[in-house]
Amino acid sequence: MTAPGRNDPCPCGSGLKYKKCCMGKDQARGSASPRGDAAPGWAFSLSERASAIDKLMRFARREEFREDWRTAFALFSGAGLVTAPEEGIRKAMDSEMAQINFISWILYDMDLEEGRSFADLFLQRRGHDLSPGERAYIEKALAAHFRLYEILEVRPGEGFTLKDLTSGESVSAHEKTGTRFLTQWDVAAMRLMDYGGGHVCIDAGIIPFKREDKTALLNEMAKLRKRTGAPADASFFKRIVPMLNHWWLERTVNSPFPKIVTAEGDPFLLTKVHFDVLDVNALRRALAAADDFDREEEDTWDWCEPHPEGGRRSLGHIVLKETRLILEVTSKERGERGRRRLEQLAGHVLKHRATEHRALEQAMKEHKPQAEEPEPGIPGLSREEKQRLIREWLDRHYRRWPDVPLPALKGKTPRQAAAHARSRPQLVDLLKSLEHNEARGILHDGEPYDFGWLWQELGLDREKEVGR
């Protein structure tokens, strides 16, 4: 049987080139029998899988299909549809992952003619040249398709427990390489295939997304199904693979700046309100007598208000510099409100000079970070001691967290949100994000922080809430 070329995608579906993945193991097997690399219950061996892909690729690369490949690549890469720089799209599509996703789609999913794919035509014309195992692989590949999943559990070097975000069902999938770059609570479109005997693998296809894009992706898919009247079946998911790739390109190459709002729901806008001060001492006395201005340091105050759920929340910051007062807030609306409040409180000694607004995205682009200095170490502190100090700091931080009002929970504390059925899903998603950020970052040069105790503290059954 013909083996894949050194630079071909590895038949195991890892996303790597054959020479960087399974070529060494295949060479070591040497004269192994054609079925010698098949696990119990598999419908085909890895060798039969590799030879089936090779024969199918040779068929699909015939001159008669040249224009079909060009059309398919334009459709898959979103030519004229994806609003991202052409150079960025080209680089993204040159990645091995994107190439493998494209190949798997064009071979098994793309409607080439009258609802048939390359694989369908190949079985019709050349199926007699295939061994039973080779035919079994192609038939199973035709039955497989991309779907959107959330990762519930990662088993390093082995695979994942996944939740189908359309059906809600959980499935265990075998995959080695993906466990190196995907973490718990990641969201990705994956192509799962039943190899036989209950052995489900991620076969030649992973399109990763940002976790915060999950809701938007599901909403877009739901809108498309409603618009077309299509059920969430294999045919629907095969048709939308190019759209999934477009969404990935949009968020990878031309990732939009996140939409941020204040607790009142107003757009986040860095705002400074400037006043001339006619009598500095009179202004200080007025601020000292006001309940909604808390003095922090000399000539600096925090503008606060009572929180509906208890405690106080900060609305802005005030700095007095000689004869100039500056109010800094995070929205246009708060700037206007703060100006009215200061003029009500001390309008006789204040004169409004100017109000300036600045988008956070622009401020970040213009910011020139200073050269980073080496992180100061603590003499004699071992790695274990450093880890212990970090854990203790995280423990102190998260012990307070359940009783802190959070904008993400519409001003409720996590403990209050846990007690209400309508707000509990937002809390669960927030806890997932905490765990996801910790696992994704691994900023502490060690094991990610264990949030298990926090779920218990809030009275949440983690296994039940995450839908395992």
Side-chain angles (χ1 to χ4, degrees), residues 253-449:
V253 181
N254 195 27
S255 180
F257 196 77
K259 181 182 179 181
I260 305 175
V261 297
T262 65
E264 299 91 344
D266 299 317
F268 193 99
L269 189 66
L270 297 174
T271 300
K272 288 186 179 181
V273 185
H274 299 263
F275 297 90
D276 287 329
V277 181
L278 306 180
D279 187 331
V280 171
N281 290 327
L283 174 65
R284 288 178 179 142
R285 289 193 296 270
L287 291 172
D291 292 335
D292 50 347
F293 288 93
D294 296 336
R295 183 177 178 181
E296 295 180 335
E297 299 176 1
E298 185 177 359
D299 289 343
T300 64
W301 293 264
D302 192 28
W303 177 33
C304 303
E305 71 174 359
H307 193 279
E309 302 291 343
R312 288 161 69 86
R313 69 178 176 187
S314 176
L315 296 173
H317 189 70
I318 293 177
V319 178
L320 175 62
K321 296 181 177 180
E322 297 180 349
T323 59
R324 179 72 59 82
L325 183 71
I326 303 173
L327 166 65
E328 297 181 345
V329 292
T330 55
S331 72
K332 176 183 177 181
E333 290 75 12
R334 281 191 186 180
E336 294 170 350
R337 178 182 167 190
R339 175 184 172 181
R340 291 194 300 270
R341 173 61 180 137
L342 286 169
E343 288 177 340
Q344 176 191 35
L345 183 68
H348 60 293
V349 295
L350 290 177
K351 181 180 180 181
H352 178 252
R353 184 182 184 90
T355 298
E356 58 176 307
H357 305 291
R358 201 175 184 201
L360 179 60
E361 182 178 7
Q362 184 62 32
M364 293 178 66
K365 287 180 179 178
E366 295 175 357
H367 176 66
K368 296 181 179 179
Q370 298 179 348
E372 293 186 5
E373 299 181 359
E375 184 179 350
I378 303 177
L381 189 66
S382 67
R383 180 177 180 275
E384 290 74 18
E385 290 171 322
K386 178 181 177 182
Q387 291 299 310
R388 178 180 58 78
L389 290 175
I390 292 173
R391 299 289 170 188
E392 289 176 356
W393 184 88
L394 289 171
D395 278 334
R396 289 195 300 271
H397 172 73
Y398 286 115
R399 290 294 173 189
R400 296 191 298 266
W401 188 80
D403 300 301
V404 176
L406 301 175
L409 299 175
K410 297 183 178 180
K412 289 186 173 66
T413 68
R415 202 180 303 279
Q416 290 167 337
H420 295 86
R422 296 185 66 178
S423 57
R424 194 177 301 120
Q426 288 76 33
L427 173 61
V428 169
D429 202 55
L430 189 57
L431 287 167
K432 287 182 181 180
S433 295
L434 290 177
E435 293 185 337
H436 177 258
N437 291 337
E438 179 71 11
R440 173 61 66 184
I442 308 293
L443 300 178
H444 317 306
D445 189 28
E447 292 296 319
Y449 185 77

Side-chain angles (χ1 to χ4, degrees), residues 150-155 159-163 170-173 468:
E150 181 179 52
I151 297 177
L152 301 182
E153 179 187 14
V154 179
R155 299 183 295 279
F160 305 99
T161 300
L162 307 171
K163 179 180 180 180
S170 296
V171 60
S172 178
R468 290 196 192 176

